[in-house]
Amino acid sequence: MEVDKKDERESDSSEQVVNPWEVSAKDGGKIDYDKLIDKFGCQRLDESLIDRVQRLTSRQPHVFLRRGVFFAHRDFNEILDAYEKGDKFYLYTGRGPSSEALHLGHLIPFMFTKYLQEAFKVPLVIQLTDDEKCMWKNLSVEESQRLARENAKDIIACGFDVTKTFIFSDFDYVGGAFYKNMVKVSKCVTLNKAMGIFGFSGEDHIGKLSFPPVQAVPSFPSSFPHLFPGKDNLRCLIPCAIDQDPYFRMTRDVAPRLGYSKPALIESSFFPALQGENGKMSASDPNSAIYVTDTAKDIKNKINRYAFSGGQDSVEKHRELGANLEVDIPVKYLSFFLEDDSELEHIKKEYGEGRMLTGEVKKRLTEVLTEMVERHRRSRAAVTDEMVDAFMAVRPLPSMFE
Amino acid sequence: MGFSKDQLLNRLQELEIDYTKYEHPPVLTVEAQAKYVSSSEGALSKNLFFKDKKHRYYIVSAMVDTKVDMKVLSQRLGLGKGGIRMAPEEALTQLLQVSLECVTPFAVVNESARDVSLLLDQNFKNQKRCIFHPLSNEVSVSLNTSGLDKFLKSIERDPVYVDLEANPAVGKDQPPDLAVYVPSNSVVIPEISNETSTKQTPPPKSVSAEVKPVASAKPSKPATKGKSVVVEKSTPLAFKNPEKFVEEIMDKTSALLLSEAKVENVEALAETLRKRLTSELTHLAIMYKNTAYTEGFHAGKHSQPKRL
């Protein structure tokens, strides 16, 4: 589902481009999220919704909600309405296993989904689109399957509950009821429509054309007869990055024609590269991101050397003008990962007014990230192949709503 | 315990592999070895032991003249440009059970090396005989590659020969050609095979000293030089064993308690504990639950039907 290396495409630099295979801002600037919400037709996630989440789950909303990382949605209010009445839902998210090297940006949707699973006590399906990567990245079938299993281990290490989570790879699972839904969806989308939504052309191979239904049908509970037998009205909530929106616009368009409920979405903004908003996070440049396999030393080095600073050139100038918080990467990263709201506010104030220096901010960030990566590594070390098999076994989940 | 040189040589004889043995004083380098074993006996080899960032290990055995470029190799394995480095000494002793100077393809005979990938220089195949250490640096053996292959097959390994000097482009449409030789399992050093001994006196080596030591209130041996090796031996056990699980919780709690002891108000302290520990302990509990479920899953898969 996610892409870490974007295809080179002819893009009009006077317009920003956001789709599953390319994300680029207008004229090398920043992504305009307001424009994006307008263009896509989704909704802003406002304070009232966040408060509602707090009331319904009796716990503090996740840091990503509080800081506006997950900032847009479709029908999330309807999901909450139904939940209030006692109607549950299930979660659906995924990963396109194109590489083994997972960086923090990759973990974000999974960290948020884990919170949703715990807070709302609902089941989750995770799709590993090994077929997609085999097609788009020209990997061998075996290699993409292997990467899917490797990525599954990092995903499991995020802390999902095996009694409520089903992980599947397309190569393993497509067939049966899942495939029946795929065909139903395919019948509702013309070639022209697909080309319009996804930008396919006559040069693209037919594998690519037939992929979108694969990512669409996990939104329908009947695709998982072993999990949701007889629960055809169960609603689905999809946490994902906003560049995945096209797949689900298509799905929401098709759902009513099939007699299915439309899936709801909750969408995140993009995680910036170390070098700044304009930089691209790329699997081939290890210094553009913090990887889950980085040692404490690596993290410290990368932050000190490559994290783009909004501080001024000299100490005197900095004390006078303060830091430019708009472009400062360490502060941005802290806003993603520093739990304590008051500490973040304090740092922003002191740094923005020039009393705190870049070095201090970077030091705090290094601490926070190191702790996170360490914890992930320890959990990852405990994930055995057998545990992956257990998560991926086609089995019922009797306590999925407990 | 590790295979000894004699056990290995016996095994070669059992398999009727033709080899010639040369005994000499211990040698630490290929140059030294060359003094005692002339090139007429066979081609000398240089043997390198690498690890990657995900704690997977590789033996690369090559002709002395073959250029081994670690950057190229790393890319061909699909690990990016700087993905591999020389493995630390502990890995050598733990996994290969040989000393620094005698890394050798034969080391994969050890059970501890089952996840180590072995890559052999294609150029070996053109030689009549090649020379390796048979698990000791006081002996060298020369044998033909077919003999080496026979030995590897006898321990259920497929011999893998690679053109080590090749530098194929790796990119969007050209996947790394050696990626398939990356081991599927990473290795945590030291291995958890000695569970029973650790139940009594766990000597946990704490992971790099820069990390806030929330989990190391236990008496611990000084941290080893194992720089980038994941070493928290007790943590995997904490997910399996109820006592260790509780111990880990108590350690984290008391460490936090001690560090926050200056807070005078006991209620505030309790609040802080709750706030700071809840998410971490929940995470621990989930891994514990997942581990238990996996063990049950395994049991279910392998259980036999009731006998009537």
PDB file of all heavy atoms in Angstrom, chain B residues 46-76:
ATOM      1  N   LYS B  46      41.001 -16.298   1.440  1.00  0.00           N
ATOM      2  CA  LYS B  46      40.790 -15.354   2.537  1.00  0.00           C
ATOM      3  C   LYS B  46      39.328 -15.473   2.937  1.00  0.00           C
ATOM      4  O   LYS B  46      38.437 -15.610   2.073  1.00  0.00           O
ATOM      5  CB  LYS B  46      41.135 -13.921   2.124  1.00  0.00           C
ATOM      6  CG  LYS B  46      40.315 -13.381   0.979  1.00  0.00           C
ATOM      7  CD  LYS B  46      40.813 -11.993   0.600  1.00  0.00           C
ATOM      8  CE  LYS B  46      40.033 -11.505  -0.620  1.00  0.00           C
ATOM      9  NZ  LYS B  46      40.596 -10.326  -1.223  1.00  0.00           N
ATOM     10  N   ASN B  47      39.085 -15.463   4.212  1.00  0.00           N
ATOM     11  CA  ASN B  47      37.751 -15.729   4.720  1.00  0.00           C
ATOM     12  C   ASN B  47      37.272 -14.590   5.599  1.00  0.00           C
ATOM     13  O   ASN B  47      37.912 -14.240   6.581  1.00  0.00           O
ATOM     14  CB  ASN B  47      37.765 -17.039   5.521  1.00  0.00           C
ATOM     15  CG  ASN B  47      38.088 -18.215   4.623  1.00  0.00           C
ATOM     16  OD1 ASN B  47      37.227 -18.811   4.013  1.00  0.00           O
ATOM     17  ND2 ASN B  47      39.388 -18.535   4.518  1.00  0.00           N
ATOM     18  N   LEU B  48      36.144 -14.010   5.218  1.00  0.00           N
ATOM     19  CA  LEU B  48      35.643 -12.826   5.902  1.00  0.00           C
ATOM     20  C   LEU B  48      34.309 -13.135   6.552  1.00  0.00           C
ATOM     21  O   LEU B  48      33.496 -13.878   5.998  1.00  0.00           O
ATOM     22  CB  LEU B  48      35.465 -11.707   4.870  1.00  0.00           C
ATOM     23  CG  LEU B  48      36.703 -11.491   3.997  1.00  0.00           C
ATOM     24  CD1 LEU B  48      36.347 -10.793   2.698  1.00  0.00           C
ATOM     25  CD2 LEU B  48      37.722 -10.667   4.765  1.00  0.00           C
ATOM     26  N   PHE B  49      34.111 -12.551   7.719  1.00  0.00           N
ATOM     27  CA  PHE B  49      32.861 -12.787   8.443  1.00  0.00           C
ATOM     28  C   PHE B  49      32.150 -11.452   8.635  1.00  0.00           C
ATOM     29  O   PHE B  49      32.646 -10.559   9.316  1.00  0.00           O
ATOM     30  CB  PHE B  49      33.183 -13.442   9.791  1.00  0.00           C
ATOM     31  CG  PHE B  49      31.979 -13.916  10.556  1.00  0.00           C
ATOM     32  CD1 PHE B  49      30.923 -14.551   9.921  1.00  0.00           C
ATOM     33  CD2 PHE B  49      31.912 -13.743  11.931  1.00  0.00           C
ATOM     34  CE1 PHE B  49      29.815 -14.992  10.626  1.00  0.00           C
ATOM     35  CE2 PHE B  49      30.805 -14.195  12.651  1.00  0.00           C
ATOM     36  CZ  PHE B  49      29.765 -14.819  11.998  1.00  0.00           C
ATOM     37  N   PHE B  50      30.988 -11.309   7.996  1.00  0.00           N
ATOM     38  CA  PHE B  50      30.265 -10.036   8.021  1.00  0.00           C
ATOM     39  C   PHE B  50      28.973 -10.151   8.801  1.00  0.00           C
ATOM     40  O   PHE B  50      28.420 -11.223   8.940  1.00  0.00           O
ATOM     41  CB  PHE B  50      29.848  -9.627   6.604  1.00  0.00           C
ATOM     42  CG  PHE B  50      30.981  -9.379   5.668  1.00  0.00           C
ATOM     43  CD1 PHE B  50      31.052 -10.027   4.454  1.00  0.00           C
ATOM     44  CD2 PHE B  50      31.978  -8.466   5.994  1.00  0.00           C
ATOM     45  CE1 PHE B  50      32.081  -9.788   3.580  1.00  0.00           C
ATOM     46  CE2 PHE B  50      33.017  -8.234   5.112  1.00  0.00           C
ATOM     47  CZ  PHE B  50      33.073  -8.899   3.895  1.00  0.00           C
ATOM     48  N   LYS B  51      28.466  -9.002   9.230  1.00  0.00           N
ATOM     49  CA  LYS B  51      27.091  -8.983   9.705  1.00  0.00           C
ATOM     50  C   LYS B  51      26.395  -7.777   9.105  1.00  0.00           C
ATOM     51  O   LYS B  51      27.055  -6.806   8.714  1.00  0.00           O
ATOM     52  CB  LYS B  51      27.040  -8.913  11.235  1.00  0.00           C
ATOM     53  CG  LYS B  51      27.321  -7.564  11.825  1.00  0.00           C
ATOM     54  CD  LYS B  51      27.199  -7.613  13.347  1.00  0.00           C
ATOM     55  CE  LYS B  51      25.787  -7.475  13.819  1.00  0.00           C
ATOM     56  NZ  LYS B  51      25.334  -6.107  14.003  1.00  0.00           N
ATOM     57  N   ASP B  52      25.073  -7.863   9.028  1.00  0.00           N
ATOM     58  CA  ASP B  52      24.344  -6.709   8.516  1.00  0.00           C
ATOM     59  C   ASP B  52      23.575  -6.050   9.666  1.00  0.00           C
ATOM     60  O   ASP B  52      23.633  -6.495  10.804  1.00  0.00           O
ATOM     61  CB  ASP B  52      23.420  -7.099   7.347  1.00  0.00           C
ATOM     62  CG  ASP B  52      22.263  -8.003   7.754  1.00  0.00           C
ATOM     63  OD1 ASP B  52      21.892  -8.032   8.940  1.00  0.00           O
ATOM     64  OD2 ASP B  52      21.726  -8.696   6.868  1.00  0.00           O
ATOM     65  N   LYS B  53      22.852  -4.999   9.333  1.00  0.00           N
ATOM     66  CA  LYS B  53      22.208  -4.214  10.371  1.00  0.00           C
ATOM     67  C   LYS B  53      21.081  -4.957  11.070  1.00  0.00           C
ATOM     68  O   LYS B  53      20.646  -4.553  12.133  1.00  0.00           O
ATOM     69  CB  LYS B  53      21.658  -2.923   9.768  1.00  0.00           C
ATOM     70  CG  LYS B  53      22.770  -2.025   9.310  1.00  0.00           C
ATOM     71  CD  LYS B  53      22.259  -0.727   8.733  1.00  0.00           C
ATOM     72  CE  LYS B  53      23.455   0.143   8.407  1.00  0.00           C
ATOM     73  NZ  LYS B  53      23.091   1.464   8.008  1.00  0.00           N
ATOM     74  N   LYS B  54      20.630  -6.019  10.407  1.00  0.00           N
ATOM     75  CA  LYS B  54      19.546  -6.772  11.043  1.00  0.00           C
ATOM     76  C   LYS B  54      20.079  -8.025  11.724  1.00  0.00           C
ATOM     77  O   LYS B  54      19.365  -9.011  11.857  1.00  0.00           O
ATOM     78  CB  LYS B  54      18.503  -7.158   9.994  1.00  0.00           C
ATOM     79  CG  LYS B  54      17.698  -5.961   9.528  1.00  0.00           C
ATOM     80  CD  LYS B  54      16.344  -6.388   8.975  1.00  0.00           C
ATOM     81  CE  LYS B  54      15.396  -5.201   9.034  1.00  0.00           C
ATOM     82  NZ  LYS B  54      14.017  -5.537   9.002  1.00  0.00           N
ATOM     83  N   HIS B  55      21.361  -7.990  12.107  1.00  0.00           N
ATOM     84  CA  HIS B  55      21.960  -9.106  12.842  1.00  0.00           C
ATOM     85  C   HIS B  55      21.873 -10.418  12.103  1.00  0.00           C
ATOM     86  O   HIS B  55      21.487 -11.447  12.665  1.00  0.00           O
ATOM     87  CB  HIS B  55      21.304  -9.242  14.236  1.00  0.00           C
ATOM     88  CG  HIS B  55      21.224  -7.928  14.928  1.00  0.00           C
ATOM     89  ND1 HIS B  55      22.344  -7.240  15.327  1.00  0.00           N
ATOM     90  CD2 HIS B  55      20.176  -7.145  15.225  1.00  0.00           C
ATOM     91  CE1 HIS B  55      21.972  -6.096  15.857  1.00  0.00           C
ATOM     92  NE2 HIS B  55      20.672  -6.007  15.817  1.00  0.00           N
ATOM     93  N   ARG B  56      22.177 -10.350  10.810  1.00  0.00           N
ATOM     94  CA  ARG B  56      22.312 -11.584  10.058  1.00  0.00           C
ATOM     95  C   ARG B  56      23.771 -11.677   9.634  1.00  0.00           C
ATOM     96  O   ARG B  56      24.416 -10.668   9.397  1.00  0.00           O
ATOM     97  CB  ARG B  56      21.381 -11.555   8.846  1.00  0.00           C
ATOM     98  CG  ARG B  56      19.913 -11.550   9.302  1.00  0.00           C
ATOM     99  CD  ARG B  56      18.987 -11.407   8.147  1.00  0.00           C
ATOM    100  NE  ARG B  56      19.239 -10.144   7.477  1.00  0.00           N
ATOM    101  CZ  ARG B  56      18.297  -9.433   6.894  1.00  0.00           C
ATOM    102  NH1 ARG B  56      17.048  -9.854   6.912  1.00  0.00           N
ATOM    103  NH2 ARG B  56      18.596  -8.324   6.277  1.00  0.00           N
ATOM    104  N   TYR B  57      24.252 -12.893   9.538  1.00  0.00           N
ATOM    105  CA  TYR B  57      25.691 -13.082   9.366  1.00  0.00           C
ATOM    106  C   TYR B  57      26.046 -13.813   8.088  1.00  0.00           C
ATOM    107  O   TYR B  57      25.264 -14.630   7.601  1.00  0.00           O
ATOM    108  CB  TYR B  57      26.232 -13.848  10.585  1.00  0.00           C
ATOM    109  CG  TYR B  57      26.102 -13.023  11.851  1.00  0.00           C
ATOM    110  CD1 TYR B  57      24.902 -12.989  12.562  1.00  0.00           C
ATOM    111  CD2 TYR B  57      27.175 -12.261  12.303  1.00  0.00           C
ATOM    112  CE1 TYR B  57      24.783 -12.202  13.693  1.00  0.00           C
ATOM    113  CE2 TYR B  57      27.055 -11.490  13.444  1.00  0.00           C
ATOM    114  CZ  TYR B  57      25.863 -11.461  14.129  1.00  0.00           C
ATOM    115  OH  TYR B  57      25.746 -10.686  15.251  1.00  0.00           O
ATOM    116  N   TYR B  58      27.238 -13.500   7.586  1.00  0.00           N
ATOM    117  CA  TYR B  58      27.674 -14.047   6.292  1.00  0.00           C
ATOM    118  C   TYR B  58      29.142 -14.423   6.355  1.00  0.00           C
ATOM    119  O   TYR B  58      29.959 -13.649   6.855  1.00  0.00           O
ATOM    120  CB  TYR B  58      27.521 -12.993   5.192  1.00  0.00           C
ATOM    121  CG  TYR B  58      26.165 -12.327   5.148  1.00  0.00           C
ATOM    122  CD1 TYR B  58      25.840 -11.304   6.033  1.00  0.00           C
ATOM    123  CD2 TYR B  58      25.195 -12.727   4.230  1.00  0.00           C
ATOM    124  CE1 TYR B  58      24.596 -10.701   6.007  1.00  0.00           C
ATOM    125  CE2 TYR B  58      23.957 -12.123   4.197  1.00  0.00           C
ATOM    126  CZ  TYR B  58      23.661 -11.117   5.079  1.00  0.00           C
ATOM    127  OH  TYR B  58      22.427 -10.512   5.046  1.00  0.00           O
ATOM    128  N   ILE B  59      29.485 -15.602   5.823  1.00  0.00           N
ATOM    129  CA  ILE B  59      30.901 -15.920   5.605  1.00  0.00           C
ATOM    130  C   ILE B  59      31.142 -15.758   4.116  1.00  0.00           C
ATOM    131  O   ILE B  59      30.402 -16.323   3.297  1.00  0.00           O
ATOM    132  CB  ILE B  59      31.234 -17.380   5.996  1.00  0.00           C
ATOM    133  CG1 ILE B  59      31.003 -17.598   7.488  1.00  0.00           C
ATOM    134  CG2 ILE B  59      32.692 -17.681   5.655  1.00  0.00           C
ATOM    135  CD1 ILE B  59      31.271 -19.035   7.909  1.00  0.00           C
ATOM    136  N   VAL B  60      32.156 -14.983   3.762  1.00  0.00           N
ATOM    137  CA  VAL B  60      32.536 -14.868   2.354  1.00  0.00           C
ATOM    138  C   VAL B  60      33.930 -15.461   2.229  1.00  0.00           C
ATOM    139  O   VAL B  60      34.878 -14.983   2.855  1.00  0.00           O
ATOM    140  CB  VAL B  60      32.536 -13.404   1.880  1.00  0.00           C
ATOM    141  CG1 VAL B  60      33.093 -13.305   0.474  1.00  0.00           C
ATOM    142  CG2 VAL B  60      31.122 -12.840   1.936  1.00  0.00           C
ATOM    143  N   SER B  61      34.029 -16.520   1.452  1.00  0.00           N
ATOM    144  CA  SER B  61      35.319 -17.188   1.288  1.00  0.00           C
ATOM    145  C   SER B  61      35.783 -16.980  -0.143  1.00  0.00           C
ATOM    146  O   SER B  61      35.074 -17.336  -1.084  1.00  0.00           O
ATOM    147  CB  SER B  61      35.144 -18.679   1.598  1.00  0.00           C
ATOM    148  OG  SER B  61      36.384 -19.325   1.518  1.00  0.00           O
ATOM    149  N   ALA B  62      36.970 -16.366  -0.295  1.00  0.00           N
ATOM    150  CA  ALA B  62      37.397 -15.994  -1.644  1.00  0.00           C
ATOM    151  C   ALA B  62      38.867 -16.303  -1.869  1.00  0.00           C
ATOM    152  O   ALA B  62      39.641 -16.465  -0.919  1.00  0.00           O
ATOM    153  CB  ALA B  62      37.168 -14.499  -1.851  1.00  0.00           C
ATOM    154  N   MET B  63      39.234 -16.343  -3.151  1.00  0.00           N
ATOM    155  CA  MET B  63      40.648 -16.453  -3.499  1.00  0.00           C
ATOM    156  C   MET B  63      41.321 -15.183  -3.012  1.00  0.00           C
ATOM    157  O   MET B  63      40.714 -14.108  -2.994  1.00  0.00           O
ATOM    158  CB  MET B  63      40.802 -16.530  -5.017  1.00  0.00           C
ATOM    159  CG  MET B  63      40.000 -17.643  -5.633  1.00  0.00           C
ATOM    160  SD  MET B  63      41.016 -19.075  -5.889  1.00  0.00           S
ATOM    161  CE  MET B  63      42.098 -18.478  -7.158  1.00  0.00           C
ATOM    162  N   VAL B  64      42.585 -15.296  -2.677  1.00  0.00           N
ATOM    163  CA  VAL B  64      43.297 -14.157  -2.103  1.00  0.00           C
ATOM    164  C   VAL B  64      43.292 -12.950  -3.047  1.00  0.00           C
ATOM    165  O   VAL B  64      43.196 -11.803  -2.612  1.00  0.00           O
ATOM    166  CB  VAL B  64      44.741 -14.567  -1.759  1.00  0.00           C
ATOM    167  CG1 VAL B  64      45.523 -13.387  -1.269  1.00  0.00           C
ATOM    168  CG2 VAL B  64      44.703 -15.650  -0.696  1.00  0.00           C
ATOM    169  N   ASP B  65      43.358 -13.208  -4.368  1.00  0.00           N
ATOM    170  CA  ASP B  65      43.402 -12.087  -5.306  1.00  0.00           C
ATOM    171  C   ASP B  65      42.046 -11.510  -5.638  1.00  0.00           C
ATOM    172  O   ASP B  65      41.968 -10.452  -6.244  1.00  0.00           O
ATOM    173  CB  ASP B  65      44.014 -12.535  -6.645  1.00  0.00           C
ATOM    174  CG  ASP B  65      45.361 -13.159  -6.425  1.00  0.00           C
ATOM    175  OD1 ASP B  65      46.066 -12.692  -5.509  1.00  0.00           O
ATOM    176  OD2 ASP B  65      45.684 -14.111  -7.154  1.00  0.00           O
ATOM    177  N   THR B  66      40.996 -12.231  -5.310  1.00  0.00           N
ATOM    178  CA  THR B  66      39.677 -11.714  -5.666  1.00  0.00           C
ATOM    179  C   THR B  66      39.379 -10.476  -4.845  1.00  0.00           C
ATOM    180  O   THR B  66      39.530 -10.481  -3.630  1.00  0.00           O
ATOM    181  CB  THR B  66      38.589 -12.770  -5.393  1.00  0.00           C
ATOM    182  OG1 THR B  66      38.896 -13.938  -6.140  1.00  0.00           O
ATOM    183  CG2 THR B  66      37.216 -12.255  -5.767  1.00  0.00           C
ATOM    184  N   LYS B  67      38.954  -9.439  -5.552  1.00  0.00           N
ATOM    185  CA  LYS B  67      38.621  -8.196  -4.829  1.00  0.00           C
ATOM    186  C   LYS B  67      37.222  -8.321  -4.253  1.00  0.00           C
ATOM    187  O   LYS B  67      36.271  -8.571  -4.995  1.00  0.00           O
ATOM    188  CB  LYS B  67      38.620  -7.011  -5.805  1.00  0.00           C
ATOM    189  CG  LYS B  67      39.958  -6.388  -6.043  1.00  0.00           C
ATOM    190  CD  LYS B  67      39.853  -4.862  -5.867  1.00  0.00           C
ATOM    191  CE  LYS B  67      40.862  -4.136  -6.730  1.00  0.00           C
ATOM    192  NZ  LYS B  67      40.519  -4.202  -8.158  1.00  0.00           N
ATOM    193  N   VAL B  68      37.111  -8.138  -2.951  1.00  0.00           N
ATOM    194  CA  VAL B  68      35.787  -8.163  -2.330  1.00  0.00           C
ATOM    195  C   VAL B  68      35.448  -6.744  -1.887  1.00  0.00           C
ATOM    196  O   VAL B  68      36.030  -6.233  -0.946  1.00  0.00           O
ATOM    197  CB  VAL B  68      35.753  -9.113  -1.118  1.00  0.00           C
ATOM    198  CG1 VAL B  68      34.403  -9.048  -0.431  1.00  0.00           C
ATOM    199  CG2 VAL B  68      36.055 -10.527  -1.549  1.00  0.00           C
ATOM    200  N   ASP B  69      34.527  -6.130  -2.599  1.00  0.00           N
ATOM    201  CA  ASP B  69      34.139  -4.758  -2.257  1.00  0.00           C
ATOM    202  C   ASP B  69      32.890  -4.812  -1.377  1.00  0.00           C
ATOM    203  O   ASP B  69      31.812  -5.206  -1.825  1.00  0.00           O
ATOM    204  CB  ASP B  69      33.856  -3.982  -3.554  1.00  0.00           C
ATOM    205  CG  ASP B  69      33.553  -2.514  -3.287  1.00  0.00           C
ATOM    206  OD1 ASP B  69      33.008  -2.187  -2.225  1.00  0.00           O
ATOM    207  OD2 ASP B  69      33.868  -1.694  -4.167  1.00  0.00           O
ATOM    208  N   MET B  70      33.030  -4.431  -0.125  1.00  0.00           N
ATOM    209  CA  MET B  70      31.914  -4.560   0.816  1.00  0.00           C
ATOM    210  C   MET B  70      30.711  -3.723   0.399  1.00  0.00           C
ATOM    211  O   MET B  70      29.568  -4.134   0.614  1.00  0.00           O
ATOM    212  CB  MET B  70      32.359  -4.166   2.224  1.00  0.00           C
ATOM    213  CG  MET B  70      33.069  -5.300   2.915  1.00  0.00           C
ATOM    214  SD  MET B  70      33.898  -4.809   4.433  1.00  0.00           S
ATOM    215  CE  MET B  70      32.519  -4.540   5.530  1.00  0.00           C
ATOM    216  N   LYS B  71      30.987  -2.565  -0.215  1.00  0.00           N
ATOM    217  CA  LYS B  71      29.859  -1.710  -0.626  1.00  0.00           C
ATOM    218  C   LYS B  71      29.043  -2.398  -1.710  1.00  0.00           C
ATOM    219  O   LYS B  71      27.819  -2.420  -1.680  1.00  0.00           O
ATOM    220  CB  LYS B  71      30.375  -0.371  -1.170  1.00  0.00           C
ATOM    221  CG  LYS B  71      30.678   0.649  -0.107  1.00  0.00           C
ATOM    222  CD  LYS B  71      30.413   2.074  -0.574  1.00  0.00           C
ATOM    223  CE  LYS B  71      31.466   2.628  -1.493  1.00  0.00           C
ATOM    224  NZ  LYS B  71      32.667   3.158  -0.848  1.00  0.00           N
ATOM    225  N   VAL B  72      29.770  -2.972  -2.697  1.00  0.00           N
ATOM    226  CA  VAL B  72      29.077  -3.636  -3.799  1.00  0.00           C
ATOM    227  C   VAL B  72      28.313  -4.845  -3.276  1.00  0.00           C
ATOM    228  O   VAL B  72      27.154  -5.084  -3.606  1.00  0.00           O
ATOM    229  CB  VAL B  72      30.096  -4.076  -4.873  1.00  0.00           C
ATOM    230  CG1 VAL B  72      29.444  -4.976  -5.886  1.00  0.00           C
ATOM    231  CG2 VAL B  72      30.700  -2.870  -5.547  1.00  0.00           C
ATOM    232  N   LEU B  73      28.979  -5.603  -2.420  1.00  0.00           N
ATOM    233  CA  LEU B  73      28.356  -6.806  -1.875  1.00  0.00           C
ATOM    234  C   LEU B  73      27.078  -6.453  -1.128  1.00  0.00           C
ATOM    235  O   LEU B  73      26.031  -7.087  -1.283  1.00  0.00           O
ATOM    236  CB  LEU B  73      29.351  -7.459  -0.914  1.00  0.00           C
ATOM    237  CG  LEU B  73      29.120  -8.923  -0.566  1.00  0.00           C
ATOM    238  CD1 LEU B  73      29.054  -9.756  -1.817  1.00  0.00           C
ATOM    239  CD2 LEU B  73      30.246  -9.403   0.333  1.00  0.00           C
ATOM    240  N   SER B  74      27.200  -5.383  -0.338  1.00  0.00           N
ATOM    241  CA  SER B  74      26.051  -4.954   0.443  1.00  0.00           C
ATOM    242  C   SER B  74      24.872  -4.614  -0.467  1.00  0.00           C
ATOM    243  O   SER B  74      23.727  -4.983  -0.199  1.00  0.00           O
ATOM    244  CB  SER B  74      26.470  -3.754   1.274  1.00  0.00           C
ATOM    245  OG  SER B  74      25.390  -3.241   1.980  1.00  0.00           O
ATOM    246  N   GLN B  75      25.172  -3.923  -1.566  1.00  0.00           N
ATOM    247  CA  GLN B  75      24.081  -3.570  -2.489  1.00  0.00           C
ATOM    248  C   GLN B  75      23.499  -4.797  -3.164  1.00  0.00           C
ATOM    249  O   GLN B  75      22.294  -4.911  -3.333  1.00  0.00           O
ATOM    250  CB  GLN B  75      24.604  -2.630  -3.560  1.00  0.00           C
ATOM    251  CG  GLN B  75      24.543  -1.196  -3.109  1.00  0.00           C
ATOM    252  CD  GLN B  75      24.860  -0.254  -4.243  1.00  0.00           C
ATOM    253  OE1 GLN B  75      25.885  -0.384  -4.883  1.00  0.00           O
ATOM    254  NE2 GLN B  75      23.969   0.667  -4.491  1.00  0.00           N
ATOM    255  N   ARG B  76      24.381  -5.723  -3.539  1.00  0.00           N
ATOM    256  CA  ARG B  76      23.897  -6.924  -4.229  1.00  0.00           C
ATOM    257  C   ARG B  76      23.040  -7.793  -3.320  1.00  0.00           C
ATOM    258  O   ARG B  76      22.188  -8.540  -3.785  1.00  0.00           O
ATOM    259  CB  ARG B  76      25.074  -7.735  -4.773  1.00  0.00           C
ATOM    260  CG  ARG B  76      25.730  -7.078  -5.963  1.00  0.00           C
ATOM    261  CD  ARG B  76      26.996  -7.809  -6.385  1.00  0.00           C
ATOM    262  NE  ARG B  76      26.685  -9.077  -7.024  1.00  0.00           N
ATOM    263  CZ  ARG B  76      27.613  -9.979  -7.335  1.00  0.00           C
ATOM    264  NH1 ARG B  76      28.882  -9.748  -7.046  1.00  0.00           N
ATOM    265  NH2 ARG B  76      27.284 -11.110  -7.915  1.00  0.00           N
TER     266      ARG B  76
END
